[in-house]
Amino acid sequence: MTSSIRLGLNEKLYACADTTCEVHAPTASFERDLFTRQTGQALITLGKIFVSVHPFNEHIDRNTGELLISLGNKLKALK
């Protein structure tokens, strides 16, 4: 008897038999692309906060915010 459990969007699929378990990585790169774009958007947002929000821009160098925005744009552009 073999059973399969889907743990989540980014989790691996485990197919277990009576005595052995096999781990199968997701075959589609959709999940990785989605994660990359979301990470890029998060970096852009954080960078804009560091550049434009008053308490942050006093204590964090402007170059740090601009670097985060630049990295975020590069990650969002990857396909």
Side-chain angles (χ1 to χ4, degrees):
M1 182 175 137
T2 302
S3 62
S4 297
I5 301 171
R6 182 70 177 170
L7 299 175
L9 182 63
N10 292 326
E11 299 292 326
K12 295 180 180 177
L13 182 65
Y14 292 87
C16 295
D18 290 334
T19 57
T20 62
C21 271
E22 299 174 9
V23 179
H24 303 284
T27 57
S29 64
F30 171 75
E31 294 171 355
R32 183 178 21 189
D33 293 341
L34 179 62
F35 178 76
T36 301
R37 286 191 306 271
Q38 289 176 342
T39 303
Q41 184 61 48
L43 289 175
I44 291 170
T45 303
L46 192 59
K48 287 182 179 181
I49 288 172
F50 287 171
V51 169
S52 60
V53 176
H54 180 64
F56 292 108
N57 64 10
E58 288 182 355
H59 301 288
I60 298 174
D61 188 29
R62 183 173 181 84
N63 291 333
T64 302
E66 292 172 356
L67 177 65
L68 289 174
I69 292 170
S70 173
L71 289 172
N73 285 329
K74 287 179 183 177
L75 284 176
K76 281 185 67 175
L78 290 178
K79 290 195 179 197

